[in-house]
Amino acid sequence: MTPHGSTVEKSGQLVPAYPFGWGLSYTTFAFSGLTVTAHGPDVRVAGTVTNTGSRAGAFLAQVYVSRGMPVGGDTDDFGPRLAAFEKVHLEPGESLPVVLHLEPRLLARWDADAGAFGIAGGTYQVRIGAHPHDEDGPAQTTRLQPDLLR
């Protein structure tokens, strides 16, 4: 850890000491009923957030998307990428539905020949998590068709 506590060294690289969305809460939350729907580049993630604790609090619903194997795979493959987020305030025991719209350009790469962002066809993993490497949250795979974003 550096003297300021902002980064740690891991495998010769400096990485943040705490990932995006990291924080303390005086309550607990659960995300259930994950559904992913895709109509062309319009990808929506829905589910229900419940405050399972005894105090009011806020939950930062974060959607991470990955495609294929990020190391040594296809050039269109990528590791966990934050694609949408929304902060939800809940009273104890309260549940609220959430619908998050994924930004299509976060699923795409620039196609210089076409002069536009393009989504590679294939299977994408969509996960709700507290940070990019959180594997405890619900996940679902979805298949996207190739598409140019104009």
Side-chain angles (χ1 to χ4, degrees):
M1 185 173 282
T2 66
H4 298 99
S6 59
T7 59
V8 294
E9 188 171 335
K10 184 177 183 179
S11 303
Q13 294 181 332
L14 291 177
V15 296
Y18 301 100
F20 174 79
W22 185 267
L24 297 175
S25 180
Y26 293 104
T27 192
T28 54
F29 300 94
F31 191 95
S32 61
L34 174 66
T35 60
V36 179
T37 56
H39 301 286
D42 180 27
V43 180
R44 296 173 191 220
V45 175
T48 301
V49 177
T50 302
N51 181 339
T52 58
S54 60
R55 295 178 182 236
F59 177 78
L60 183 61
Q62 300 174 53
V63 179
Y64 290 93
V65 177
S66 57
R67 181 181 187 279
M69 300 298 291
V71 179
D74 186 307
T75 58
D76 289 318
D77 292 349
F78 55 87
R81 182 179 286 177
L82 180 64
F85 61 93
E86 182 176 338
K87 194 171 197 176
V88 181
H89 297 272
L90 299 165
E91 294 298 318
E94 182 180 15
S95 295
L96 285 175
V98 293
V99 177
L100 298 114
H101 301 268
L102 280 56
E103 169 57 49
R105 287 180 294 168
L106 294 174
L107 306 174
R109 292 181 63 116
W110 180 253
D111 183 333
D113 295 334
F117 283 95
I119 296 176
T123 302
Y124 291 73
Q125 182 184 60
V126 178
R127 176 180 304 281
I128 303 297
H131 54 80
H133 305 291
D134 179 5
E135 296 190 8
D136 294 331
Q140 184 176 331
T141 57
T142 191
R143 188 147 187 81
L144 300 180
Q145 298 300 316
D147 201 351
L148 282 179
L149 309 176
R150 301 227 183 233

